[in-house]
């Protein structure tokens, strides 16, 4: 099949258009998920969500469009197979979206395995697709389901050795299954019979500990023994008990601060139907041991001389240990953690090790990361060995810390990003359990001579284990390195919250998160991660309606200097989830927060009806865009999105739509010079923001974009903006006909540029375009300037969502064949299936290959022309 479309510049020919025919016999349902997880065992939502994809094994059969479906749920698999009356079934739901929610009148039961299945039809009702059977398991659906209580030891919160708790119990034979539900404030390291119950780190996730706590669910069936068993835990401080004022963000003054504590409950089900419950209470035994201190900003200190052999295994005599004490719950809510845990993605060995005598060794791991190190060492008993983590080296090869410890307030024995191991005279291995660091280099120092080798230290790159869903590559290796560095920075800043940097601050800065939403969601399946953080946002709002600049917060950051551009996260994050997943639950949950916040802003308005305080185009290079302009623009966006939220969830949004229009008129009256088609002070960011937010009157859009391109060319194709410009300028150049210029900026190696960071050897993105020679605010593992990564997907490969049909139900393929690139390849595993777009130059032609998932369609847009595509594989020649 061939098409030819002519215009004054281009001929567009669609050659070899491959469209696979429809046959429901070859269409299958796959990727069945409950609460966006495959066969989860920790569900505590009373109305869980279900999603699925369509696929085919036959390359001649991809055309299927869901018209309706039914959802079936039962407690026994055979009830689904036999269509038993014991199963619940929904009404026939007429929807083309593979997304369902349990809406049964009967409440789901706690600690119960459920099986589910969907049956879908097309419009003809002749083609029926029956899914496989999948499962989910509920956890503690009600706060009253818990029989365990919160416990700790009898020490004060300022006592630095970590609490150790153990419980011995007897289990019968013929165990069918065992589930462990456990939470702590802040962290637990838990073992069953001396073996860890999980390989993950820093559990559970960080929250406003006085508002809600998270718990984890584990299948521990295989670890249980007939006879005596021992459940044990060591508790860490984290952000719950920051015992010293070592940092700037006042966690040592947190209203929740207290001695670490835990709650757990194990349910054992035997094959004969009997149940046994082991739970936390005052019969647990407690002591302290080798963990003599732990601090989230400094590190862990472990004295191997104080280790207690066998304390976490059966047969240990704990008669001299004291009983645990029951304490108050930190918060009224104990919620299942549905986001992924923090896992080790990679064990990394050093690329180089340099010794400075026999007491100082510096290791280079070749890549900047978030994580911890494992030290294997032998030496004299009592030898004190410290591991300090950093991002840069001094000229003499030693560790440079001035770019990181500028906010750190050192105390005796608590150096920044430093873990300490005291040897017991035997071969030992140490990995800290209650901290993490940001680093490429580690300096190991000892107070006595020790012999270390390159193999003595191994790094673990750890982060919240969001599944990867995106890939990008192109013919320019510099862009590939920028894409990789942006992902490395993004992952390094996922630690149960979206942080700004993994070393100096570790805080959930709101703008850092909302600016990088596209980067995050195009590369990783992050819905449960962001939904958790939005819960933190709910807990963060104060009585006035404000939210702080960092979330969670102990009370720091509700200041005017932060302001609405940062606060816009409460609108941008749920809107992005809607666009990428077609899911409105976040919008429904945030609606009261947004309502209260906009009421607060209304009370702060000036005589012109706007607000102007706060941060704007942060970390700009030379030209600062007026904050009053950017704040007003984002106040407009807040109201615009609020009106859209109302439309999506059945609320009245007319007042917000009216306010948005008023603010748009104000911006164009006050900040837009129509004679010059220039906004505010004529900065790159001002033009980019106005275009990106849709503020520019239609008749002026191209002129504003033309002026943006002119000012960039006059600046030798160099950028001159901060975080807001990094999100908007490349995108708006590309949208209005200057994709080649945007590419030249993206591929620039002269500073300031992303490429200059790569040229300097950075493997992550820096905090500022030019690093301060005085080392002020000079982290080199920030993600907030990384939207160029998402620009590669959206502009170069052309993969975009359609706001009118969210969740990539309808896909916009809008590639730009920029000068300087020979080929581009990208894929994105959307909630509706895998989308691929790749193009390559062949002489005078460009070959574009596109894959569109089953049950979706797409429109290819190029040079003003549109070509509609059904699901399947397509090849287009331009």
């Amino acid at each position: 099949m061939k098409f030819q479309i002519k215009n004054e510049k281009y001929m567009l020919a669609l050659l070899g258009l491959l469209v696979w025919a429809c046959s429901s016999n070859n269409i299958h349902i796959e990727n069945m998920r409950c609460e966006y997880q495959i066969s989860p065992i920790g569900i505590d939502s009373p109305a869980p969500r279900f999603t699925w994809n369509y696929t085919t094994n036959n390359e001649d059969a991809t055309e299927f469009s869901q018209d309706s479906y039914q959802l079936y749920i039962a407690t026994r698999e055979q009830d689904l197979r036999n269509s038993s009356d014991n199963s619940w079934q929904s009404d026939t739901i007429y929807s083309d979206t593979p997304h369902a929610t349990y809406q049964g009148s009967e409440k789901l039961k706690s600690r119960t395995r459920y099986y589910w299945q969907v049956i879908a039809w097309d419009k003809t009702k002749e083609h029926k697709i029956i899914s496989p059977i999948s499962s989910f398991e509920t956890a503690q659906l009600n706060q009253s389901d818990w029989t365990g209580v919160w416990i700790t030891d009898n020490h004060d919160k300022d006592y630095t050795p970590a609490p150790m708790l153990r419980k011995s119990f007897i289990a019968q034979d013929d165990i069918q299954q065992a589930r462990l539900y456990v939470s702590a404030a802040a962290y637990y390291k838990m073992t069953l019979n001396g073996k860890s119950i999980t390989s993950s780190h820093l559990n559970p996730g960080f929250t406003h500990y006085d508002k809600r706590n998270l718990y984890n669910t584990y299948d521990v069936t295989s670890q249980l023994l007939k006879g005596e068993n021992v459940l044990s835990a060591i508790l860490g401080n984290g952000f719950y008990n920051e015992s010293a004022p070592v940092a700037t963000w006042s966690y040592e003054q947190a209203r929740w601060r207290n001695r670490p504590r835990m709650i757990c409950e194990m349910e054992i089900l035997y094959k004969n139907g009997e149940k046994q419950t082991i739970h936390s209470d005052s019969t647990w035994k407690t002591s302290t041991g080798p963990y003599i201190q732990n601090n989230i900003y400094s590190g862990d200190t472990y004295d191997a001389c104080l280790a207690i052999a066998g304390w976490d295994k059966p047969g240990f005599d704990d008669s001299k240990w004291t009983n645990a004490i029951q304490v108050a719950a930190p918060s009224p809510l104990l919620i299942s953690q549905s986001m992924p845990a923090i896992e080790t993605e990679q064990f990394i060995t050093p690329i180089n090790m340099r010794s400075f005598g026999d007491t100082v060794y510096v290791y280079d791991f070749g890549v900047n990361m978030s994580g911890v190190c494992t030290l294997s060492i032998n030496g004299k008993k009592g030898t004190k060995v410290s591991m300090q983590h950093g991002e840069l080296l001094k000229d003499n090869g030693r560790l440079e810390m001035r770019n990181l410890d500028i906010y750190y307030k050192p105390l005796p024995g608590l150096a920044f990003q430093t873990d300490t191991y005291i040897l017991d005279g035997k071969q030992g291995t140490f990995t800290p359990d209650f901290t993490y660091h940001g680093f490429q280099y580690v300096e190991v120092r000892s107070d006595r001579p020790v012999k270390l080798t390159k193999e003595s230290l191994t790094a673990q790159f750890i982060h919240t284990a969001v599944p990867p869903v995106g890939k990008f590559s192109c013919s320019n290796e510099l862009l590939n390195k920028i894409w990789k560095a942006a992902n490395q920075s993004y992952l390094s800043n996922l630690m149960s919250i979206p942080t700004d940097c993994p070393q100096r601050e570790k805080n959930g800065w709101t703008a850092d998160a909302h600016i990088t939403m596209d980067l995050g969601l195009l590369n990783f399946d992050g819905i449960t991660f962001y939904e958790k953080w939005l819960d933190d946002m709910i807990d963060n709002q104060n009585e006035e309606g404000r939210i702080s600049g960092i979330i969670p917060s102990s009370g720091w950051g509700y200041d005017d200097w932060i302001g609405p551009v940062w606060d816009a996260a409460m609108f941008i994050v749920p809107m992005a989830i809607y666009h990428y997943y077609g899911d409105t639950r976040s919008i429904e949950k945030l609606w009261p927060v947004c309502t209260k916040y906009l009421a607060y802003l209304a009370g702060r308005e000036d005589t012109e009806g706007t607000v102007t305080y706060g941060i704007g185009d942060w970390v700009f290079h030379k030209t600062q865009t007026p904050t009053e302009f950017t704040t007003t623009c984002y106040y407009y966006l807040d109201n615009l999105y609020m009106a859209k939220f109302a439309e999506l969830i059945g609320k009245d949004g007319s007042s917000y739509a009216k306010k948005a229009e008023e603010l748009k008129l104000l911006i164009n009256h006050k900040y837009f010079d129509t004679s010059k088609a220039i906004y505010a002070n004529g900065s790159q960011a001002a033009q980019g923001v106005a275009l990106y937010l849709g503020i520019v009157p239609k008749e002026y859009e191209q002129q504003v974009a033309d002026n943006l391109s002119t000012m960039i060319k006059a600046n030798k194709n160099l950028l001159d903006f901060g975080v807001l410009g990094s999100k908007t300028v490349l995108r708006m150049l590309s949208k209005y006909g200057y994709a080649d210029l945007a590419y030249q900026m993206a591929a620039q190696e002269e500073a300031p540029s992303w490429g200059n960071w790569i040229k300097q050897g950075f493997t992550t993105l820096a905090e500022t375009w030019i690093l301060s020679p005085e080392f002020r605010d000079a982290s080199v593992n920030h993600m907030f300037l990384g939207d160029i990564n998402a620009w590669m997907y959206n502009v170069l490969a052309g993969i975009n969502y359609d706001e009118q049909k969210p969740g990539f139900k309808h896909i916009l393929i809008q590639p730009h064949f920029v000068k300087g690139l020979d080929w581009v390849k990208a894929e994105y595993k959307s909630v509706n299936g895998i989308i691929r777009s790749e193009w390559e130059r062949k002489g005078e032609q460009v070959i574009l290959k596109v894959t569109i998932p089953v049950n979706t369609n797409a429109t290819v847009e190029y040079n003003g022309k549109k070509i509609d595509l059904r699901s399947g594989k397509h090849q287009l020649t331009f």
Side-chain angles (χ1 to χ4, degrees):
M1 187 181 300
K2 292 185 178 181
F3 296 94
Q4 288 189 334
I5 303 174
K6 296 182 179 180
N7 62 32
E8 61 185 19
K9 288 186 177 180
Y10 296 100
M11 178 180 292
L12 173 62
L14 282 68
L15 301 177
L17 183 61
L18 307 177
V19 180
W20 297 332
C22 173
S23 171
S24 63
N25 293 329
N26 293 298
I27 305 296
H28 311 284
I29 289 176
E30 65 169 11
N31 195 30
M32 298 175 65
R33 298 193 292 175
C34 173
E35 287 297 304
Y36 298 95
Q37 304 165 69
I38 295 175
S39 301
I41 64 170
I43 298 300
D44 70 354
S45 169
R49 297 164 292 182
F50 303 89
T51 60
W52 58 94
N53 294 158
Y54 294 94
T55 189
T56 181
N57 296 324
N58 184 344
E59 293 194 353
D60 294 324
T62 62
E63 187 52 38
F64 172 83
S65 180
Q66 174 186 295
D67 177 67
S68 60
Y69 67 83
Q70 279 189 295
L71 172 67
Y72 295 79
I73 299 177
T75 56
R76 299 189 308 168
E77 191 171 354
Q78 57 265 38
D79 289 334
L80 292 181
R81 297 190 186 281
N82 300 328
S83 300
S84 167
D85 291 338
N86 294 323
S87 65
W88 173 84
Q89 68 181 59
S90 70
D91 296 332
T92 299
I93 308 297
Y94 287 89
S95 170
D96 61 358
T97 303
H99 184 289
T101 303
Y102 175 67
Q103 297 175 330
S105 58
E106 184 176 333
K107 292 183 178 179
L108 299 178
K109 298 177 181 178
S110 292
R111 301 182 300 277
T112 302
R113 170 73 61 87
Y114 287 92
Y115 299 88
W116 68 281
Q117 187 174 42
V118 290
I119 298 177
W121 295 268
D122 65 3
K123 286 185 178 180
T124 68
K125 301 297 181 185
E126 296 176 2
H127 299 143
K128 180 171 71 173
I129 300 177
I130 303 174
S131 79
I133 293 174
S134 189
S135 68
F136 68 96
E137 191 175 301
T138 55
Q140 314 279 52
L141 288 173
N142 309 293
Q143 302 297 307
S144 60
D145 291 332
W146 287 87
T147 59
V149 296
W150 286 87
I151 60 173
T152 186
D153 63 12
N154 53 10
H155 291 290
D156 181 78
K157 61 187 177 184
D158 292 322
Y159 189 68
T160 57
M164 298 166 60
L165 299 122
R166 74 185 305 272
K167 174 68 175 179
S168 174
F169 63 95
I170 303 298
Q172 305 170 27
D173 202 359
D174 294 328
I175 297 168
Q176 180 173 314
Q177 74 170 36
R179 298 289 185 263
L180 176 65
Y181 310 96
V182 56
S183 180
Y187 305 129
Y188 61 81
K189 179 188 179 184
M190 182 162 274
T191 63
L192 179 56
N193 298 322
K195 295 182 179 179
S196 179
I197 61 169
T198 179
S199 61
S200 56
H201 306 261
L202 303 177
N203 294 301
F206 175 27
T207 61
H208 292 90
Y209 290 111
D210 61 332
K211 298 294 181 67
R212 79 179 70 209
N213 297 87
L214 303 180
Y215 69 90
N216 306 109
T217 303
Y218 300 103
D219 180 353
V220 293
T221 310
S222 63
Q223 290 181 243
L224 277 174
L225 306 172
K226 178 185 178 181
E228 185 185 7
N229 291 264
V230 173
L231 196 56
S232 66
I234 307 172
L235 305 182
N237 291 318
F239 293 94
Y240 179 67
N241 186 34
E242 185 61 73
S243 59
V246 296
T248 299
W249 301 280
S250 304
Y251 289 111
E252 77 283 355
Q253 301 173 21
R255 57 189 179 272
W256 57 65
R257 191 184 156 222
N258 219 321
R259 182 72 170 160
R261 55 202 56 206
M262 64 163 283
I263 185 173
C264 73
E265 189 169 313
M266 181 192 293
E267 183 179 82
I268 305 171
L269 176 64
Y270 294 100
K271 292 179 181 178
N272 62 7
E274 293 182 6
K275 290 183 179 180
Q276 179 183 6
T277 301
I278 311 299
H279 57 246
S280 53
D281 58 22
S282 58
T283 65
W284 283 53
K285 293 299 187 77
T286 180
S287 183
T288 57
Y291 260 104
I292 59 177
Q293 79 86 31
N294 61 92
N295 183 291
I296 196 69
Y297 286 106
S298 57
D300 291 1
T301 303
Y302 186 95
D303 187 346
C305 300
L306 301 178
I308 303 172
W311 77 276
D312 56 354
K313 297 177 182 178
F316 178 78
D317 181 6
D318 61 9
S319 60
K320 294 183 180 181
W321 287 31
T322 59
N323 280 55
I325 60 172
Q326 180 177 341
V327 289
S331 76
L333 290 179
L334 196 48
I335 305 297
S336 180
Q337 179 173 312
S338 59
M339 70 173 174
I342 296 170
E343 303 276 3
T344 298
E345 176 179 308
Q346 188 180 3
F347 291 90
I348 302 175
T349 56
I351 62 170
N352 185 50
M353 185 273 281
R354 182 179 175 186
S355 64
F356 296 81
D358 53 11
T359 60
V360 178
Y361 300 82
V362 176
Y363 289 81
D364 177 2
F365 289 96
V367 62
N368 206 347
M369 72 186 94
S370 55
V372 292
C373 285
T374 298
L375 176 67
S376 297
I377 189 171
N378 194 3
K380 291 183 179 180
K381 184 177 181 179
T383 300
K384 188 175 182 179
V385 182
S386 64
M387 300 182 289
Q388 188 165 36
H389 303 69
E391 295 183 325
L392 302 172
L393 294 181
K394 298 176 182 177
D395 292 340
N396 64 3
R398 296 290 296 274
L399 197 65
E400 174 62 81
M401 294 300 293
R402 287 179 295 168
N403 71 313
L404 297 180
D405 64 4
I406 57 175
Y407 298 135
Y408 187 71
K409 302 171 185 177
L411 293 175
L414 290 180
F416 184 61
Q417 288 215 129
T418 301
D419 300 309
T420 302
Y421 184 45
I422 300 171
L423 310 187
D424 62 0
K426 305 172 185 176
Q427 180 68 39
T429 300
F430 168 60
T431 306
D433 289 299
F434 302 119
T435 190
Y436 75 96
H437 310 293
F439 65 99
Q440 176 175 334
Y441 306 97
V442 178
E443 183 168 299
V444 181
R445 301 185 292 269
S446 62
D447 62 359
R448 302 180 194 176
V450 293
K451 184 177 182 180
L452 297 180
T453 67
K454 192 177 176 181
E455 291 71 33
S456 298
L457 201 66
T458 302
Q460 296 185 48
F461 176 31
I462 71 171
H463 57 81
T464 298
V466 286
V469 294
K471 296 179 183 177
F472 177 89
S473 60
C474 68
S475 58
N476 185 330
E477 189 57 29
L478 178 65
L479 258 60
N480 295 336
K481 290 180 178 179
I482 294 171
W483 177 84
K484 185 177 181 180
N487 278 358
Q488 183 75 8
S489 295
Y490 179 80
L491 291 176
S492 295
N493 283 289
L494 291 195
M495 288 292 170
S496 77
I497 63 171
T499 67
D500 59 329
C501 57
Q503 5 66 9
R504 193 182 67 220
E505 296 195 39
K506 301 178 177 174
N507 284 315
W509 282 97
T510 47
D512 298 48
H514 78 64
I515 288 292
T516 54
M517 284 300 295
D518 294 296
L519 154 64
L521 296 181
L522 281 168
N523 287 287
F524 304 99
D525 183 14
I527 183 170
T528 57
F529 172 81
Y530 284 110
E531 285 182 333
K532 179 269 176 188
W533 192 58
L534 289 174
D535 283 341
D536 296 332
M537 196 175 292
I538 293 170
D539 295 340
N540 179 267
Q541 190 171 42
N542 67 13
E543 288 301 315
E544 285 186 292
R546 304 181 76 152
I547 63 170
S548 65
I550 60 171
I551 296 175
S553 168
S554 65
W556 186 94
Y558 291 89
D559 309 279
D560 277 4
W561 69 267
I562 297 171
V565 174
W566 261 234
D567 297 347
M570 73 176 73
F571 302 93
I572 294 172
V573 174
M575 182 63 89
I577 291 173
Y578 170 71
H579 285 152
Y580 279 84
Y581 291 88
D583 194 311
T584 59
R585 183 166 291 184
S586 292
I587 293 173
E588 293 164 357
K589 291 181 74 172
L590 265 291
W591 176 265
V593 175
C594 296
T595 301
K596 190 173 181 178
Y597 174 74
L598 288 179
Y600 165 75
L601 285 190
R604 294 289 306 271
E605 289 181 356
D606 60 21
T607 56
E608 293 182 302
T610 187
V611 290
T612 58
Y613 66 91
I615 313 173
D617 191 34
W618 184 249
V619 297
F620 58 91
H621 176 51
K622 288 183 178 179
T623 304
Q624 181 174 10
T625 303
T627 294
E628 63 177 28
F629 166 74
T630 52
T631 298
T632 302
C633 287
Y634 275 81
Y635 188 25
Y636 158 78
L637 182 70
D638 293 349
N639 282 277
L640 183 71
Y641 275 12
M642 195 63 168
K644 179 64 174 178
F645 288 172
E647 178 185 333
L648 292 172
I649 62 174
K651 304 283 188 179
D652 180 8
S654 56
S655 62
Y656 301 112
K658 181 174 181 290
K659 183 64 181 179
E661 188 60 30
E662 290 171 354
L663 288 166
K664 186 175 181 178
L665 290 172
L666 171 64
I667 294 166
N668 283 311
H669 173 73
K670 184 174 182 179
Y671 297 105
F672 185 40
D673 184 339
T674 55
S675 65
K676 298 179 180 177
I678 290 290
Y679 278 86
N681 62 337
S683 68
Q684 294 178 14
Q687 318 319 304
V689 166
L691 286 166
Y692 182 75
L693 298 185
I695 291 169
V696 184
K698 191 74 175 175
E699 64 271 23
Y700 288 100
E701 286 180 357
Q702 191 60 53
Q703 292 181 58
V704 173
D706 292 344
N707 284 333
L708 175 59
S709 72
T710 299
M711 64 181 66
I712 290 169
K713 290 174 184 176
N715 197 42
K716 300 179 181 178
N717 295 349
L718 291 170
L719 62 85
D720 185 13
F721 48 67
V723 64
L724 300 183
S726 74
K727 178 74 178 183
T728 61
V729 169
L730 294 183
R731 292 176 176 277
M732 293 304 98
L733 287 173
S734 304
K735 180 178 180 179
Y736 290 98
Y738 296 100
D740 287 342
L741 177 58
Y743 170 72
Q744 291 171 33
M745 292 182 73
Q748 179 71 254
E749 292 189 17
E750 181 182 343
S753 68
W754 297 274
N756 188 256
W757 293 334
I758 303 302
K759 187 177 179 180
Q760 292 181 66
F762 297 158
T763 56
T764 48
L765 306 184
E767 180 179 6
T768 54
W769 296 114
I770 308 293
L771 265 64
S772 165
E774 294 85 22
F775 295 98
R776 287 193 289 268
D777 290 339
S779 157
V780 290
N781 198 348
H782 265 62
M783 58 154 178
F784 64 1
L785 295 171
D787 187 70
I788 184 175
N789 174 296
W791 171 84
M792 296 180 198
Y793 285 96
N794 298 149
V795 172
L796 299 184
I799 298 174
N800 293 275
Y801 57 74
D802 182 346
E803 292 186 10
Q804 303 306 312
K805 294 187 176 181
F808 292 85
K809 190 67 177 65
H810 177 247
I811 302 146
L812 301 177
I813 304 294
Q814 301 164 317
H816 291 74
F817 310 135
V818 296
K819 296 176 182 177
L821 282 183
D822 296 323
W823 58 267
V824 166
K825 293 182 181 179
E827 71 174 46
Y828 168 60
K829 185 178 181 181
S830 75
V831 69
N832 273 298
I834 294 179
I835 303 162
R836 293 187 179 92
S837 175
E838 58 182 274
W839 57 264
E840 183 179 9
R841 297 188 190 280
K842 297 274 187 162
E844 297 299 316
Q845 297 179 328
V846 175
I847 310 298
L848 174 67
K849 296 179 181 179
V850 178
T851 301
I852 306 302
V854 180
N855 195 44
T856 69
N857 53 44
T859 299
V860 174
E861 298 182 8
Y862 179 71
N863 195 37
K865 303 299 180 181
K866 298 182 179 181
I867 305 97
D868 293 328
L869 301 178
R870 296 178 176 180
S871 61
K873 293 183 178 180
H874 309 270
Q875 180 170 301
L876 296 79
T877 300
F878 297 88

